[in-house]
Amino acid sequence: MADWRNVGNWHWKERNCLEWAKKYFDDKLVGTTAVVGELSAEVTSVDSVSGDVDLNIRKGRLIAIYDVEIKLSWTAAKKGSEDTLSGTITIPEVAHDTDSYVYDISASKSTKDALPLKDFVRQKLTPEITKKFEVFTEDLKQANGTDMYIPGNGPNDTPSGVSVASAPKQERPSVVDSSVGVVKTANTTFSTVSITQSAEFVCSADDLFATLTDPQRVSIWTRAPVDGQPAEGATFKLFSGHIEGKYTKLVRGKTIEQMWRVATWPAGHYSTVKMELEQLSSSTRLSLKQTGVPFNEEDATKANWDRYYWNSIKGTFGTNRLPFTLPPYVTDRVPPTSSRTFARKRKHRRNKRATSQSSPIRIVAAIAAVGALVLAAMYYKSPTSTL
């Protein structure tokens, strides 16, 4: 997912594509064959893919950086013979800056009859594998680069190395099958995941609700104009249109539910966001659950909630209580919880101060009473008191 404020795709953005690369090599390399005359060889499995595969965007350009070691298994046979030979191939370096590869080939047998089959693997099968490596860079960019940039209005806003298919003019909203985590649109099917997060803010639940919904407050911590008003059924746009959605449920100080999407997600697809606010003794806990997030957007979405929502709110308004101002769409004037708490604390402080001021008088009275008792005891015990 593109950085929500990486306008113009100017800043460095990085994505780890190792898991994608593992699936890619498994799909592309398994079944690779070479057949010449009576001899044949085939890649039967991808045993391991280890290393680094990263896709980066900088100044509107996609940059692929990778260096992996790949281990394969193979079989070879001669037509008309029941004997087959199997073994492994290790390619120690498949990298973005090299077009020559070293193939370390081992065989299960080293007999004289096995040598022709092993040589056939080296001479005929490895070139077929090399052909698959030659297109890896472009396939990596095409599969993972289209949703790393923020689309703009200009004709040159697409990074080099990425082709973007034009979206249909009319697109129905996607249908989310939450039981299996699959989304079906008119043009594609893709997996989705759910995200849960929790954050705590030193303010009342009403304060936090207003901060998340009142356009004036939202424009402060997003540092951008807000399009839309907080009302059930109303749409909104944040971060210059990179985040858009619709309010589906609003309960002041309790619940915020939205249809929510990033502009670079598949056309017409919205996730479901539910925020629950829980008033604690001196703070408010926010619990977020988001369903329908595209599978390859999970890490970026989690990071951007922290960075552009929670941390931005805390950094903008500080760690003290947020000043409470009822948003314009709230008509009832019930005092916020923070005001009631403040009144109780103020009354407690006054009582404590009154008690502390009367303490010296009580001490003097107690000393005087003790002195009187001592004098009385001395009088009755003196010799003159018996005459």
Side-chain angles (χ1 to χ4, degrees), residues 188-199:
T188 186
T189 300
F190 54 92
S191 300
T192 63
V193 296
S194 297
I195 291 174
T196 57
Q197 287 193 349
S198 179

Side-chain angles (χ1 to χ4, degrees), residues 257-308:
E257 293 186 11
Q258 304 168 336
M259 293 174 59
W260 188 98
R261 64 175 266 107
V262 182
T264 54
W265 285 7
H269 173 65
Y270 287 80
S271 67
T272 299
V273 170
K274 184 175 183 179
M275 302 181 197
E276 294 287 351
L277 310 182
E278 179 185 0
Q279 181 66 62
L280 306 178
S281 60
S282 60
S283 62
T284 298
R285 179 183 295 116
L286 183 149
S287 299
L288 175 138
K289 183 174 183 181
Q290 184 178 17
T291 58
V293 178
F295 177 78
N296 62 337
E297 304 289 347
E298 180 181 8
D299 292 339
T301 303
K302 288 180 178 178
N304 286 337
W305 277 115
D306 282 330
R307 180 179 180 184
Y308 294 121

